[in-house]
Amino acid sequence: MTRQIIRLTGEDRIEFLQGLVTNDISRGACWAALLTPQGKYLADFLVIPQDDALLLDVDAGLADDLMRRLSMYKLRSKVTIEAIDMPVARGTGPAPEGAIADPRHDALGWRHYGATGDDGTDWDAIRVAHCIPESLIELIPNDTFILEAGFERLHGVDFRKGCYVGQEVTARMKHKTELRKGSTVLAIDGQAPVGTKIVSDGREVGTLFTQSGGKAIAHVRFDRLAEGMQADTARLSPLRVGSE
């Protein structure tokens, strides 16, 4: 896990970020995303209130672009945006004093800012078991739609908070359409590289992502799920009821 902490300070920090991201940051620690005006994912991050600042806990591979975009939106807002050196520890055992619960899912345990360490948890196994996407793996900038990636189920979007960048498209997907595509967990026999296309009877079903313990996260067309799907040499099938 390579993370970067971006710190926002200044009297406008909450109002500034609130108008940009998918979640209601006024309620405390949360998971949120910055989208394009067309509703496509750009970056996801945990937002952690700390004293007179907001900490954005983001994948290091997304940090530079996120800072650039936040700076572009800053205009005359009284907010300072800076990358800082701050370690992040995490685990699923007893939480140390000062740690916070990961707001996405109980299975993701806790995070502790300013401390180092990891208790050896198999994070991919947890993510696959609960269909939790990861930055730059299942979550692809300028491609992913967050509702297809499970943001509503994982508390990453608030439909009551008001406007943010990409809000109109996201709200329309929520209220006016039924999702025909999205993330799901499939049973897998074998393995294949992340990004391998899944096919069935010569038709493309979707894309294979993280794999662990005989299961895999995939982004699929729901109407094409079937037995005997292939991703390279791996065979995939829908999970039976009660197998999750």
Side-chain angles (χ1 to χ4, degrees), residues 14 16 18 42-43 66 77 94 111 118 121 125 135 139 150 165 168 173-174 180 197 216 233 239:
I14 295 176
F16 166 72
Q18 183 81 318
L42 288 171
L66 177 59
S77 297
R111 301 172 86 86
D118 191 306
T121 295
S135 310
L139 298 173
V165 179
E168 183 177 351
M173 291 183 71
K174 163 69 174 174
R180 298 168 53 194
K197 296 302 179 185
T233 60
L239 284 173

Side-chain angles (χ1 to χ4, degrees), residues 41-42 44 59-62 134-141 194 209:
Y41 164 92
L42 288 171
D44 67 295
D59 187 288
L62 296 170
E134 182 70 35
S135 310
L136 299 174
I137 301 177
E138 289 84 16
L139 298 173
I140 304 169
V194 167
F209 292 107

Side-chain angles (χ1 to χ4, degrees), residues 151-228:
F151 266 67
E152 183 175 11
R153 174 176 55 86
L154 296 167
H155 319 296
V157 58
D158 189 310
F159 292 102
R160 299 168 297 178
K161 61 160 283 188
C163 293
Y164 57 87
V165 179
Q167 182 264 345
E168 183 177 351
V169 174
T170 304
R172 187 164 62 245
M173 291 183 71
K174 163 69 174 174
H175 296 295
K176 295 186 178 181
T177 64
E178 181 177 354
L179 292 180
R180 298 168 53 194
K181 300 185 293 182
S183 295
T184 191
V185 178
L186 303 176
I188 185 169
D189 181 9
Q191 58 183 0
V194 167
T196 300
K197 296 302 179 185
I198 301 170
V199 296
S200 176
D201 294 329
R203 295 196 304 171
E204 186 173 313
V205 176
T207 305
L208 181 68
F209 292 107
T210 305
Q211 303 143 61
S212 179
K215 298 179 182 179
I217 298 175
H219 183 270
V220 300
R221 279 190 52 164
F222 296 125
D223 62 345
R224 293 187 179 179
L225 289 176
E227 297 291 338

Side-chain angles (χ1 to χ4, degrees), residues 68-192:
R68 180 181 66 81
R69 292 178 185 276
L70 292 176
S71 297
M72 178 181 68
Y73 283 115
K74 178 182 173 182
L75 301 176
R76 295 182 180 178
S77 297
K78 295 177 181 178
V79 59
T80 299
I81 304 163
E82 57 181 341
I84 63 171
D85 290 329
M86 176 180 285
V88 183
R90 60 177 179 168
T92 54
E97 183 177 355
I100 67 161
D102 193 302
R104 292 171 290 180
H105 196 287
D106 290 345
L108 289 173
W110 50 264
R111 301 172 86 86
H112 192 194
Y113 294 90
T116 59
D118 191 306
D119 64 2
T121 295
D122 186 340
W123 298 105
D124 278 353
I126 289 177
R127 292 200 307 102
V128 171
H130 299 285
C131 201
I132 300 170
E134 182 70 35
S135 310
L136 299 174
I137 301 177
E138 289 84 16
L139 298 173
I140 304 169
N142 294 295
D143 183 76
T144 299
F145 287 104
I146 61 167
L147 296 190
E148 293 182 356
F151 266 67
E152 183 175 11
R153 174 176 55 86
L154 296 167
H155 319 296
V157 58
D158 189 310
F159 292 102
R160 299 168 297 178
K161 61 160 283 188
C163 293
Y164 57 87
V165 179
Q167 182 264 345
E168 183 177 351
V169 174
T170 304
R172 187 164 62 245
M173 291 183 71
K174 163 69 174 174
H175 296 295
K176 295 186 178 181
T177 64
E178 181 177 354
L179 292 180
R180 298 168 53 194
K181 300 185 293 182
S183 295
T184 191
V185 178
L186 303 176
I188 185 169
D189 181 9
Q191 58 183 0

